[in-house]
């Protein structure tokens, strides 16, 4: 398990809990006004639950104890998080995807988004990895979207993660944040934030169907816990992201196909 460095998680949990300047142009969501997704790499559920820090986080929020990756290896899982579909991507090789993805739906409603990638060279960089090999394209689904990669007024929202500190200082953290750690590190009142910490895929390739790709995922935020329950054992997968976000901001549907099997997170629990 590549979890040597929890500093970034601690930092992100911190930003979720501080107050952001309320920006009048923000579109209010039904359940949250900002969502931060942090994706760690390759660990199965049982391994993750043995980690004291992840266990601690689970107790701070809502553990989704029956959450599944959708494929092996990594890349299709990332694609699924913004397309509700693997979109024909079944390997870690560079592959370009045609059609709309979550950022298109967000932009349509004027909802700001940014993908913060550790060690990303910037400027629409679309090679498979940075020179130092710390950034990898397979963990950046946004750059594989033709409609984003080929448009300089859109790919500017894929940034090096160093930018986050400045965005916090400036009060310009967007409403949708996707955060990919590098290969080593793998709101107030109405301004609610919501964080999802998940893994791309389980480290187990051979597993029973019911336990397939079982991974740790936790939701954290002031509005997550309506009750004292800290666990939701409903069946979820990476396909659940898009419908959860669509539902929150009443976005139009992507209609990518696999979303038939997607269930939004139950925000009423
Ligand atoms: C590029 O993106 C901008 C902003 O979303 C959009 O207005 C423009 O039409 C896009 N250009 C092309 C060629 O799709
Ligand atoms: C959601 O959006 C549709 C159109 O896209 C609109 O007809 C409907 O009234 C909206 N619902 C809410 C609750 O805003």
């Amino acid at each position: 398990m590549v979890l040597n460095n929890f500093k970034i998680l601690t930092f992100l949990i911190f930003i979720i809990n501080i107050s952001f300047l309320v920006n009048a142009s923000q579109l209010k969501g039904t359940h949250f006004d900002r969502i931060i997704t942090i994706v760690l790499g390759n660990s199965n559920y049982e391994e993750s639950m043995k980690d004291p820090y992840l266990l601690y986080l689970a107790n701070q929020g809502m553990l989704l104890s029956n959450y599944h990756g959708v494929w092996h290896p990594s890349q299709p899982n990332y694609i699924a998080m913004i397309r509700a579909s693997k979109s024909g991507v079944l390997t870690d090789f560079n592959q370009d995807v045609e059609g709309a993805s979550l950022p298109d739906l967000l932009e349509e409603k004027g909802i700001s988004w940014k993908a913060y990638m550790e060690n990303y060279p910037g400027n629409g960089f679309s090679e498979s990895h940075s020179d130092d090999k710390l950034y990898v394209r397979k963990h950046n689904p946004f750059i594989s979207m033709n409609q984003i990669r080929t448009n300089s007024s859109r790919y500017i929202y894929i940034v090096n993660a160093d930018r986050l500190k400045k965005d916090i200082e400036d009060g310009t953290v967007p409403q949708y944040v996707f955060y990919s750690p590098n290969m080593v590190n793998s709101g107030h009142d109405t301004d609610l934030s919501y964080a999802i910490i998940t893994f791309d895929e389980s480290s187990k390739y051979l597993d029973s169907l019911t336990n397939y790709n079982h991974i740790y995922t936790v939701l954290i935020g002031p509005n997550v816990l309506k009750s004292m329950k800290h666990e939701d054992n409903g069946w979820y997968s990476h396909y659940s992201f898009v419908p959860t976000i669509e539902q929150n901001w009443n976005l139009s549907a992507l209609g990518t196909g696999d979303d038939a099997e997607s269930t939004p997170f139950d925000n009423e629990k």
Side-chain angles (χ1 to χ4, degrees):
M1 169 156 73
V2 190
L3 282 178
N4 307 325
N5 192 341
F6 281 117
K7 269 188 292 189
I8 188 62
L9 277 184
T10 313
F11 180 56
L12 283 155
I13 301 309
F14 165 75
I15 67 162
I16 292 155
N17 289 314
I18 61 167
S19 309
F20 289 95
L21 293 172
V22 179
N23 183 336
S25 68
Q26 284 188 354
L27 183 67
K28 297 216 164 306
T30 311
H31 303 288
F32 47 85
D33 296 336
R34 177 181 285 117
I35 182 162
I36 301 172
T37 305
I38 304 160
V39 187
L40 305 172
N42 301 59
S43 170
N44 68 48
Y45 182 81
E46 289 77 17
E47 268 168 13
S48 304
M49 289 301 283
K50 283 187 200 139
D51 183 279
Y53 192 76
L54 292 178
L55 197 57
Y56 162 80
L57 287 180
N59 286 314
Q60 302 301 301
M62 177 70 78
L63 175 70
L64 304 183
S65 56
N66 192 7
Y67 187 102
H68 303 265
V70 298
W71 202 256
H72 294 293
S74 298
Q75 181 165 253
N77 294 289
Y78 289 83
I79 302 285
M81 288 180 224
I82 66 164
R83 276 274 295 172
S85 163
K86 293 186 285 290
S87 309
V89 178
L90 302 177
T91 70
D92 279 344
F93 297 119
N94 290 1
Q95 199 173 329
D96 300 338
V97 176
E98 196 49 54
S101 58
L102 188 55
D104 298 70
L105 307 185
L106 295 169
E107 286 173 20
E108 202 176 280
K109 286 273 175 114
I111 299 167
S112 54
W113 68 276
K114 255 186 204 172
Y116 296 89
M117 304 278 147
E118 289 187 3
N119 299 87
Y120 184 58
N123 231 345
F125 179 83
S126 62
E127 302 301 319
S128 61
H129 56 77
S130 53
D131 286 345
D132 59 15
K133 297 200 164 74
L134 289 171
Y135 158 84
V136 288
R137 171 167 161 168
K138 65 182 180 179
H139 292 172
N140 175 6
F142 303 91
I143 203 68
S144 292
M145 301 299 133
N146 291 345
Q147 293 185 15
I148 297 177
R149 192 191 56 263
T150 61
N151 189 332
S152 59
S153 42
R154 302 192 70 203
Y155 69 56
I156 49 168
Y157 298 113
I158 307 172
V159 297
N160 185 292
D162 289 347
R163 176 76 204 186
L164 184 57
K165 189 165 176 287
K166 182 166 182 1
D167 287 350
I168 293 169
E169 284 163 8
D170 295 349
T172 55
V173 177
Q175 289 190 269
Y176 172 84
V177 171
F178 187 99
Y179 193 99
S180 276
N182 66 26
M183 292 302 278
V184 182
N185 298 331
S186 257
H188 74 102
D189 58 1
T190 56
D191 190 21
L192 297 173
S193 291
Y194 190 79
I196 303 175
I197 296 158
T198 188
F199 284 82
D200 49 5
E201 56 170 335
S202 162
S203 50
K204 287 190 188 168
Y205 271 55
L206 295 173
D207 222 334
S208 66
L209 268 185
T210 48
N211 204 36
Y212 176 75
N213 225 332
H214 192 198
I215 50 178
Y216 167 103
T217 297
V218 67
L219 310 179
I220 297 178
N223 209 23
V224 167
L225 290 176
K226 292 269 168 60
S227 65
M228 291 306 286
K229 276 184 63 171
H230 282 279
E231 181 179 343
D232 177 353
N233 65 4
W235 199 97
Y236 300 112
S237 76
H238 291 320
Y239 297 137
S240 305
F241 272 86
V242 171
T244 299
I245 295 165
E246 283 171 356
Q247 198 183 62
N248 185 63
W249 279 301
N250 191 29
L251 308 177
S252 39
L254 270 183
T256 39
D258 291 349
D259 39 351
E261 57 167 298
S262 38
T263 321
F265 303 134
D266 184 352
N267 288 288
E268 304 306 325
K269 278 216 175 103

